[in-house]
Amino acid sequence: MFKKFNLKKNSIHIVSLSCNPIPPPRYGGIELIVSNLCVGLGSLGANVVCYSPGEIGIENTRHVKTSESPTPSIKDGGPPNSKEHLRNVASNLAANSIRGDIVLFNHADQYRAIKKMISRFSLAKLNLFEVAHWMDSGLSKNIIYPSFALKKHLRKQGWVIPHGINLKFAVEPCIDKNSNLFFAGRLTKDKGIDIALAACKKIGCKLILAGPDNKSDYSKSILNDPSVIYLGELDYSQIFSQYYHSRGQIYLTQYVEPFGLSVIEAMAAGSPIITTGLGGTGETVLEGRTGFFCSTVDEIARAYEKLDTIAFDDLVSRAKDFTVERMARSYLDLFLST
């Protein structure tokens, strides 16, 4: 049973990861959503407390510094939640939360660890929620899913609220698009980059990659291919320029993608999408209107030839469905109604 949440009296405690400050300077999908929730909920009058390392770059958000600086990134072997980070979250929740407060976890390990550090009494007075960012969750209920596909996969009680992003929107179509396909994200096999590369070779274009490299044998073989141009980790303005000038974005997720933030970013820049439609990409991309669903090299090659049929206005309009304001309002409505 939920404890009554009072917007004026209670706080919303948002727990981030230990490997990035808020907002993240470059790559950091979970941390980006945490940052956007802090901004969005704060603008609606909520008392927001963010638990994260380093300094925070967000006004109107009370900050609990869980460590002086972030731990090494996950791609470099760092933990998503260090012991120091979790201990400081737990001690501050126990000392500074009151009955009816909201706690919003953003990683499956967080609740599992913190429930061992806090008394049952302290936890019992709180309303616990978790945003599902991956294929696992620490809570058994009260999950907030970014897509219906992930809810169906995890099969735990909860609600679907799509992510919201503070986007830059292209105001007119690019008149000097290149012939290349662009991918932004982790350079891992579950993103289907090897399939994208095979398709680009068949098409005769370059595959432009941006994102963190985990330096595996998989990524090494791809980055050494002459058909690939690797740009490293870019900031949002740099990524936007790549979306805007590329013929399209290729995002061949091979698993139940929880959401797919870069798909929304690409549409906002007027870049049509080639994706598998797995997970959240099957809900954010509108088949034939903002992109095409493909799983094989031949299907990708055929879709490539049809990218010019996607209307610029449809792409930008669809991206505007995923704003920070809409996400924050949906979260607050949920908290006030439970």
Side-chain angles (χ1 to χ4, degrees), residues 249-293:
Q249 190 211 25
I250 188 160
Y251 196 87
L252 300 178
T253 180
Q254 299 293 298
Y255 67 110
V256 182
E257 181 77 48
F259 185 72
L261 292 171
S262 65
V263 168
I264 310 301
E265 293 176 343
M267 290 191 290
S271 183
I273 313 298
I274 296 176
T275 186
T276 55
L278 292 174
T281 63
E283 299 167 28
T284 55
V285 176
L286 304 177
E287 170 75 12
R289 285 189 57 197
T290 65
F292 300 99
F293 297 152

Side-chain angles (χ1 to χ4, degrees), residues 143-312:
I143 314 298
I144 300 175
Y145 298 97
S147 65
F148 287 96
L150 187 59
K151 182 179 181 183
K152 182 179 179 181
H153 179 79
L154 287 182
R155 296 187 296 178
K156 295 181 180 180
Q157 179 268 327
W159 307 265
V160 175
I161 301 178
H163 288 329
I165 321 175
N166 184 21
L167 293 165
K168 177 181 178 181
F169 295 100
V171 296
E172 59 184 2
C174 180
I175 60 173
D176 59 347
K177 277 184 176 288
N178 57 52
S179 63
N180 303 320
L181 291 176
F182 178 60
F183 168 83
R186 294 178 291 109
L187 305 187
T188 55
K189 190 172 180 62
D190 59 14
K191 297 297 185 180
I193 302 172
D194 54 322
I195 304 171
L197 176 56
C200 287
K201 288 183 171 183
K202 181 179 180 67
I203 294 164
C205 68
K206 296 287 188 181
L207 175 62
I208 313 297
L209 301 176
D213 173 24
N214 63 359
K215 299 178 175 60
S216 66
D217 291 340
Y218 173 80
S219 64
K220 182 178 179 180
S221 63
I222 289 172
L223 296 180
N224 287 336
D225 193 285
S227 293
V228 169
I229 299 175
Y230 177 50
L231 304 176
E233 294 187 56
L234 307 179
D235 62 30
Y236 179 50
S237 63
Q238 294 170 320
I239 289 177
F240 181 90
S241 179
Q242 292 297 322
Y243 289 136
Y244 187 65
H245 288 96
S246 297
R247 184 174 174 91
Q249 190 211 25
I250 188 160
Y251 196 87
L252 300 178
T253 180
Q254 299 293 298
Y255 67 110
V256 182
E257 181 77 48
F259 185 72
L261 292 171
S262 65
V263 168
I264 310 301
E265 293 176 343
M267 290 191 290
S271 183
I273 313 298
I274 296 176
T275 186
T276 55
L278 292 174
T281 63
E283 299 167 28
T284 55
V285 176
L286 304 177
E287 170 75 12
R289 285 189 57 197
T290 65
F292 300 99
F293 297 152
C294 304
S295 58
T296 68
V297 168
D298 288 341
E299 288 173 349
I300 294 166
R302 289 193 292 269
Y304 179 89
E305 297 302 322
K306 296 188 290 183
L307 290 178
D308 289 342
T309 66
I310 300 296
F312 172 83

Side-chain angles (χ1 to χ4, degrees), residues 74-182:
I74 296 172
K75 76 177 190 307
D76 294 325
N81 301 283
S82 69
K83 291 181 180 179
E84 179 187 15
H85 173 75
L86 292 169
R87 282 195 301 266
N88 282 319
V89 171
S91 61
N92 278 276
L93 279 177
N96 301 317
S97 59
I98 65 173
R99 183 175 180 82
D101 279 5
I102 301 288
V103 180
L104 193 61
F105 298 111
N106 283 275
H107 192 275
D109 292 344
Q110 291 173 346
Y111 170 70
R112 291 169 180 159
I114 288 170
K115 73 177 181 179
K116 299 177 182 178
M117 303 177 185
I118 300 181
S119 70
R120 289 187 179 183
F121 174 79
S122 295
L123 279 179
K125 68 184 181 182
L126 304 172
N127 297 306
L128 306 180
F129 294 84
E130 181 177 336
V131 185
H133 292 281
W134 195 242
M135 313 295 289
D136 188 17
S137 65
L139 290 176
S140 59
K141 59 181 180 178
N142 303 339
I143 314 298
I144 300 175
Y145 298 97
S147 65
F148 287 96
L150 187 59
K151 182 179 181 183
K152 182 179 179 181
H153 179 79
L154 287 182
R155 296 187 296 178
K156 295 181 180 180
Q157 179 268 327
W159 307 265
V160 175
I161 301 178
H163 288 329
I165 321 175
N166 184 21
L167 293 165
K168 177 181 178 181
F169 295 100
V171 296
E172 59 184 2
C174 180
I175 60 173
D176 59 347
K177 277 184 176 288
N178 57 52
S179 63
N180 303 320
L181 291 176
F182 178 60

